[in-house]
Amino acid sequence: MLESLNNKVHDEARQGEPYSPQAVGKKEFRKKFYIESYGCQMNFSDSEIVASILNDNGFGATGNYAEADLVLLNTCSIREKAEQTVRNRLHLFRQVKESRPGMLIGVLGCMAERLKGKLLEEEKLVDMVVGPDAYRTLPGLIEEAEGGQKSVNVLLSRDETYADISPVRLDSNGVAAFVSIMRGCNNMCAFCVVPFTRGRERSRDADSIVRECRELFHNGYREVTLLGQNVDSYYWMDEAADQAVTFARLLEKVALIDPMLRVRFSTSHPKDITDEVLETMARYENICKYIHLPVQSGSTRILQLMNRTYTREWYQAKIDRILAVMPDCGLSTDVITGFCTETEEDHRDTLSLMEYARYDMSYMFFYSERPGTLASRRYADDVPEEVKKRRLDEVVKLQNRLSLEKNKEDVGKTFKVLIEGDSKKSAADWRGRNSQNKVVVFPKEGQAFRKGDYVKVKIEDCTGATLIGRVVE
Ligand code: SAM
Ligand code: SF4
């Protein structure tokens, strides 16, 4: 698979996943909505906020679009392919709507923001277009659309964080949850559409984050992943205490909820991750020793064109520092091949940087020009598609080798593993993760463990994607 490997933050296997609630409580709903989510974890989390708003307004979720009164697609614009997938889905829903004219179709998220009213013209049967900062206005927009009027709200906000809305969990396993800590992005990476579709960066009230994490813990969750496009620039002023809350401080506050609650975060920008964050991670056992540190390219020249604001050497020094503070820290990255003007030498720089960092895992993409971005305005998309794909193939092959090598080094070690559920292959095995975010599979062997328990597992074997072991205590 060339586009990317399976991962937690942008999980290919979850693209288009319909929202299917666990228990919806005793509420009576007058209508049904169906929602599909695409793109990064932020979008999946947003769908949980949308579900909460809709529940409060009389809409209950269904996993079957054919019976829905309202069909929503929460979309992604990061690459052209993501948008194409959504367009194909809209064509399908158009057919359903022909036999059920009362059904409303809405496009939410980044594609709504990027294309705005154009979506109504291009995709004739779309009734609503709602940007990522406008979800509170959904009830009004639905009413307008029910009255036969096409409705659009794509206003971006400088302060919307949905801090007070309790997301209705799109419940995958009841053990690990994602918590949004900020929205938008102020970086202007030349290839990236996010600053245009999700607006200015803003941090969510720290107290509301801690409250949400505490509630999750009390509801049985044992892991939270704090989410933002650039978590290290989290900053919130606690007026009552007259104290600034930095990301390091926030991590600590969440870690202090309970030692049994694991804390992860994503995504870090290499330019912003501080020693204070690394030292906080090292200080608390329950802050997972794993950092996703997107590099994008190993060539300083390309990094400059990408506006990443660091050099190859600076990035290498950051890796050195992380491993000096936490020698056992897991590392992963994002790589783009075939960015504008990329030469074979630049590409080799990427491969050699990957060898230097020895990532446990990578999310790998070939460059896809996005309208409106700095790169699309300034540079020609001049690397032929077959070259982009060949380079991506080389990057993927190298990562597969590194992942296997890194996993082999873990054979013989013992890890504390949080059980997330049955292994995908066999109900006779448990599946969990260690602190470094590696998937660990081990036989149940009649022991009385449950999802959400911590166990010590000794690794006996591995593949490139999984550690295989046995419980030792
Ligand atoms: N904010 C995070 C960061 O800076 O790493 C993640 C942003 S984005 C949702 C996830 C990844 O998509 C990026 O790190 C980048 O590798 C990839 N990406 C973004 N724009 C792209 C483009 N135009 N073509 C190919 N890949 C892209
Ligand atoms: Fe996009 Fe860069 Fe912001 Fe990440 S940090 S969302 S890649 S602009």
Side-chain angles (χ1 to χ4, degrees):
M1 184 176 35
L2 286 183
E3 187 71 17
S4 112
L5 283 184
N6 178 30
N7 66 79
K8 249 182 139 185
V9 176
H10 183 120
D11 190 339
E12 287 299 319
R14 292 188 65 194
Q15 297 305 297
E17 186 175 274
Y19 171 75
S20 39
Q22 289 209 314
V24 283
K26 293 194 180 63
K27 269 187 190 165
E28 284 294 319
F29 296 111
R30 63 192 164 86
K31 289 199 166 170
K32 288 185 177 149
F33 77 95
Y34 169 89
I35 188 166
E36 265 180 26
S37 309
Y38 294 85
C40 63
Q41 189 55 49
M42 293 289 290
N43 246 16
F44 283 77
S45 291
D46 277 5
S47 292
E48 299 179 338
I49 288 169
V50 168
S52 172
I53 293 170
L54 291 176
N55 277 181
D56 287 347
N57 285 276
F59 283 81
T62 168
N64 174 10
Y65 60 77
E67 61 166 24
D69 301 286
L70 173 65
V71 169
L72 299 172
L73 286 158
N74 194 355
T75 62
C76 169
S77 285
I78 202 87
R79 282 169 293 277
E80 200 182 332
K81 185 178 160 237
E83 290 200 353
Q84 198 46 53
T85 310
V86 166
R87 286 188 199 278
N88 295 344
R89 291 299 281 170
L90 283 172
H91 292 152
L92 169 80
F93 294 133
R94 179 179 302 183
Q95 285 163 14
V96 180
K97 185 162 166 138
E98 269 160 25
S99 56
R100 301 192 63 216
M103 179 177 110
L104 296 178
I105 301 179
V107 176
L108 316 180
C110 290
M111 224 173 136
E113 194 61 51
R114 194 177 84 72
L115 295 166
K116 304 186 169 61
K118 265 196 246 163
L119 259 177
L120 297 177
E121 294 151 32
E122 287 173 18
E123 303 296 337
K124 290 277 183 282
L125 284 175
V126 170
D127 302 287
M128 293 188 304
V129 177
V130 191
D133 287 346
Y135 298 145
R136 282 182 204 270
T137 66
L138 263 169
L141 295 171
I142 294 169
E143 227 175 275
E144 269 176 42
E146 282 172 340
Q149 222 181 318
K150 304 276 178 199
S151 58
V152 181
N153 187 349
V154 287
L155 283 179
L156 285 173
S157 158
R158 280 183 174 264
D159 45 28
E160 178 62 272
T161 59
Y162 301 111
D164 55 314
I165 295 182
S166 275
V168 177
R169 295 285 153 197
L170 192 163
D171 221 343
S172 50
N173 59 16
V175 175
F178 292 87
V179 175
S180 216
I181 63 164
M182 57 208 293
R183 297 180 74 80
C185 182
N186 283 356
N187 294 324
M188 276 286 169
C189 300
F191 49 80
C192 187
V193 77
V194 168
F196 305 97
T197 58
R198 301 192 74 95
R200 305 289 292 172
E201 178 186 291
R202 62 223 100 117
S203 297
R204 177 180 165 190
D205 172 338
D207 294 339
S208 77
I209 297 170
V210 174
R211 207 178 310 126
E212 186 175 329
C213 294
R214 188 174 291 125
E215 262 169 37
L216 283 164
F217 182 73
H218 288 309
N219 290 334
Y221 285 80
R222 290 294 172 264
E223 183 182 298
V224 289
T225 301
L226 308 181
L227 281 183
Q229 295 297 350
N230 187 8
V231 288
D232 302 283
S233 66
Y234 177 88
Y235 183 91
W236 185 74
M237 192 63 206
D238 184 348
E239 305 283 354
D242 193 24
Q243 205 178 43
V245 182
T246 59
F247 182 57
R249 185 74 193 106
L250 179 71
L251 262 182
E252 182 168 48
K253 280 174 182 278
V254 178
L256 285 170
I257 290 174
D258 196 292
M260 297 288 276
L261 180 68
R262 271 188 173 176
V263 190
R264 299 187 187 278
F265 55 89
S266 188
T267 303
S268 292
H269 193 298
K271 77 174 163 57
D272 292 319
I273 188 162
T274 58
D275 265 14
E276 199 194 351
V277 167
L278 302 181
E279 280 150 16
T280 307
M281 288 176 75
R283 198 172 323 127
Y284 291 92
E285 191 270 339
N286 59 330
I287 304 183
C288 290
K289 306 299 176 276
Y290 166 65
I291 300 179
H292 180 59
L293 199 67
V295 66
Q296 315 296 1
S297 167
S299 153
T300 295
R301 189 183 71 82
I302 295 291
L303 287 170
Q304 269 162 2
L305 287 182
M306 285 177 163
N307 199 26
R308 288 291 288 183
T309 74
Y310 52 84
T311 62
R312 174 188 175 90
E313 291 71 28
W314 199 91
Y315 185 92
Q316 284 173 323
K318 197 52 93 177
I319 297 276
D320 295 347
R321 183 72 195 137
I322 291 170
L323 295 177
V325 179
M326 291 170 287
D328 62 339
C329 191
L331 287 170
S332 63
T333 201
D334 291 353
V335 176
I336 299 177
T337 65
F339 186 66
C340 314
T341 81
E342 187 188 71
T343 62
E344 288 304 316
E345 195 186 338
D346 295 320
H347 171 57
R348 280 195 298 275
D349 282 348
T350 298
L351 296 173
S352 69
L353 187 53
M354 289 173 72
E355 296 259 17
Y356 183 89
R358 302 193 71 231
Y359 299 111
D360 297 290
M361 202 258 292
S362 295
Y363 311 148
M364 299 158 280
F365 315 99
F366 64 84
Y367 175 57
S368 161
E369 186 179 77
R370 307 309 295 132
T373 55
L374 246 67
S376 78
R377 284 183 274 133
R378 281 192 199 156
Y379 316 124
D381 180 12
D382 56 0
V383 178
E385 180 136 335
E386 67 272 16
V387 175
K388 289 179 182 175
K389 287 188 174 167
R390 193 256 302 149
R391 289 181 188 162
L392 178 58
D393 195 32
E394 287 173 21
V395 164
V396 170
K397 284 199 175 104
L398 170 57
Q399 184 54 57
N400 287 346
R401 170 165 73 71
L402 290 173
S403 299
L404 184 60
E405 279 174 21
K406 293 289 297 279
N407 280 357
K408 279 183 177 164
E409 287 167 19
D410 286 339
V411 174
K413 292 184 190 166
T414 298
F415 293 107
K416 182 172 167 185
V417 173
L418 173 60
I419 301 179
E420 290 179 4
D422 286 351
S423 133
K424 282 182 186 145
K425 287 202 184 131
S426 160
D429 294 336
W430 286 121
R431 175 189 193 275
R433 276 169 205 271
N434 67 4
S435 174
Q436 289 73 9
N437 206 33
K438 288 192 180 178
V439 173
V440 182
V441 169
F442 53 97
K444 294 184 177 171
E445 290 176 335
Q447 292 152 357
F449 296 123
R450 284 179 310 178
K451 255 184 3 174
D453 284 348
Y454 289 99
V455 283
K456 289 267 172 69
V457 179
K458 184 166 184 191
I459 307 305
E460 297 176 339
D461 199 359
C462 70
T463 66
T466 313
L467 300 177
I468 301 155
R470 255 206 166 74
V471 175
V472 287
E473 47 180 275

